[in-house]
Amino acid sequence: MASAGVPASPWFDGGYEDAFAQARASQKLVFIDFWASWCPPCKRLEKETFPHPEVQAELSRMVSLSIDAESPTGMPLAKKHRVGGYPT
């Protein structure tokens, strides 16, 4: 739960399959942010873009999932979605 003046995180707190199940149940789209820890544009999105209230509002309209594309669970998902660069 967000405290006063601090927006709730728009990011889904669960895994890939759970995100799609939630999206089906709530009839929402899924937004996936594939990122890598070494990626400067990824860090800029995280720091400058995603915190904007307008962006937060749009992300909250979907089931929004943030995936480290180079993690053990993220690599197969990045391959499945044909991620060729970061951020995607």
Side-chain angles (χ1 to χ4, degrees), residues 20-76:
F20 276 86
Q22 176 66 33
R24 280 189 295 278
S26 60
Q27 297 184 350
K28 291 183 176 183
L29 297 174
V30 175
F31 173 86
I32 304 174
D33 171 36
F34 284 102
W35 56 273
S37 62
W38 51 264
C39 168
C42 299
K43 291 177 183 183
R44 188 170 179 192
L45 274 172
E46 182 180 359
K47 182 179 178 186
E48 298 177 14
T49 303
F50 291 142
H52 280 262
E54 297 88 359
V55 175
Q56 295 263 320
E58 288 301 313
L59 290 173
S60 70
R61 295 178 62 220
M62 301 172 266
V63 177
S64 300
L65 191 59
S66 180
I67 297 177
D68 177 355
E70 295 191 336
S71 70
T73 56
M75 284 189 292

Side-chain angles (χ1 to χ4, degrees), residues 4-21:
V6 179
S9 172
W11 301 111
F12 182 74
D13 187 26
Y16 179 85
E17 295 297 332
D18 293 333
F20 276 86

